[in-house]
């Protein structure tokens, strides 16, 4: 039964994660396909760059809520499934079933994942979510680079998780998510090293 529930959580997480909010908001409200502009990614940063600040923030919030709501649902069904279901949302977001498997980089979903783990008792709310978020905004304020801020955000979350949580499974899930998101940012890492990474102007 637990195995079946885990599979169900992974499948539902992937399907919900595949909802491309950047694409939906761009086409419905702005008559634009964000994949044709900027970086081409279906994430909040590119949506903000192409559609404006309000759209960018809306996409970030909705992408984060994808993970959180899936985790909330499984909190009622089978709490042990939460770490797997939430992690699967990020996979769906990056390789969306509904957008030719070309999505975003999973950062907003990762934030929703950490929020869910904190709210549903897997992590300490301050150290598991608030502190890494504060680190994100500190780095963003100094660098104006979402990519760098995102990677440091998740690296700090992983380190803090291993230092403050005794739940090895959750720690490993967060570490895997961090490695996955960093992998998705390899092109950005190359640009950062070359001094050519884009800096956001719409986040102020």
């Amino acid at each position: 039964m637990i195995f079946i529930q885990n599979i169900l959580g992974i499948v539902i997480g992937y399907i919900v994660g595949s909802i491309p909010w950047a694409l939906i908001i761009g086409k419905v409200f702005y008559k634009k396909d964000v994949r044709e502009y900027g970086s081409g990614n279906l994430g909040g940063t590119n949506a903000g760059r192409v559609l404006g600040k309000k759209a960018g923030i809306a996409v970030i919030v909705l992408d984060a809520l994808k993970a959180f709501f899936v985790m909330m649902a499984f909190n009622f069904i089978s709490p042990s499934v939460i770490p797997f279901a939430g992690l699967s949302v990020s996979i769906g977001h990056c390789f969306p079933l509904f957008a030719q498997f070309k999505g975003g980089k999973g950062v907003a979903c990762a934030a929703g994942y950490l929020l869910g783990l904190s709210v549903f008792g897997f992590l300490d709310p301050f150290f598991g979510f608030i502190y890494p978020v504060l680190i994100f905004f500190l780095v963003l304020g100094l660098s104006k680079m979402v990519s760098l801020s995102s990677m440091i955000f998740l690296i700090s979350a992983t380190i803090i998780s291993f230092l403050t949580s005794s739940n090895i499974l959750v720690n490993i899930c967060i570490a895997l998510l961090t490695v996955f998101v960093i992998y998705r940012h390899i092109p950005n890492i190359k640009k950062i090293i070359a001094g050519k990474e884009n800096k956001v102007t719409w986040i102020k």
Side-chain angles (χ1 to χ4, degrees):
M1 179 62 73
I2 294 177
F3 176 76
I4 294 175
Q5 290 175 340
N6 284 330
I7 295 299
L8 180 64
I10 290 170
V11 171
I12 291 177
Y14 174 76
I15 292 173
V16 174
S18 292
I19 299 173
W21 284 117
L23 183 62
I24 293 170
I25 290 175
K27 286 194 171 185
V28 172
F29 297 102
Y30 297 87
K31 310 305 178 186
K32 284 186 176 181
D33 187 334
V34 296
R35 295 172 297 182
E36 299 175 358
Y37 303 89
S39 65
N41 287 323
L42 289 177
T45 302
N46 194 49
R49 185 181 297 120
V50 175
L51 307 175
K53 182 176 181 178
K54 291 182 180 179
I57 292 174
V59 170
I60 290 170
V61 171
L62 289 170
D63 283 344
L65 289 177
K66 289 192 294 189
F68 182 80
F69 282 141
V70 166
M71 297 166 80
M72 182 174 68
F74 276 94
N75 187 52
F76 294 102
I77 300 171
S78 179
S80 64
V81 179
I82 287 176
F84 304 108
L87 192 61
S88 183
V89 173
S90 289
I91 305 299
H93 174 76
C94 294
F95 305 106
L97 179 65
F98 309 122
Q100 293 77 53
F101 302 101
K102 296 179 180 179
K105 296 183 178 179
V107 178
C109 288
Y113 183 63
L114 293 178
L115 176 61
L117 290 175
S118 299
V119 170
F120 302 118
F122 290 88
L123 294 174
D124 176 88
F126 180 79
F127 290 108
F129 178 71
I130 296 176
Y131 196 65
V133 168
L134 290 176
I135 291 174
F136 170 85
F137 282 110
L138 175 62
V139 177
L140 181 62
L142 294 172
S143 69
K144 295 296 188 292
M145 290 186 285
V146 173
S147 57
L148 178 63
S149 306
S150 300
M151 290 185 284
I152 292 178
F153 159 66
L154 281 169
I155 290 171
S156 66
T158 301
I159 295 171
I160 292 169
S161 175
F162 274 96
L163 290 176
T164 62
S165 173
S166 59
N167 192 321
I168 300 300
L169 174 62
V170 169
N171 293 340
I172 291 174
C173 285
I174 295 173
L176 289 174
L177 179 58
T178 299
V179 171
F180 176 65
V181 171
I182 290 175
Y183 167 75
R184 295 285 292 170
H185 279 82
I186 287 177
N188 303 87
I189 294 172
K190 293 178 180 178
K191 289 182 180 179
I192 291 171
I193 294 173
K196 297 180 180 179
E197 176 66 328
N198 293 325
K199 296 186 178 182
V200 293
T201 58
W202 62 272
I203 299 178
K204 294 181 180 179

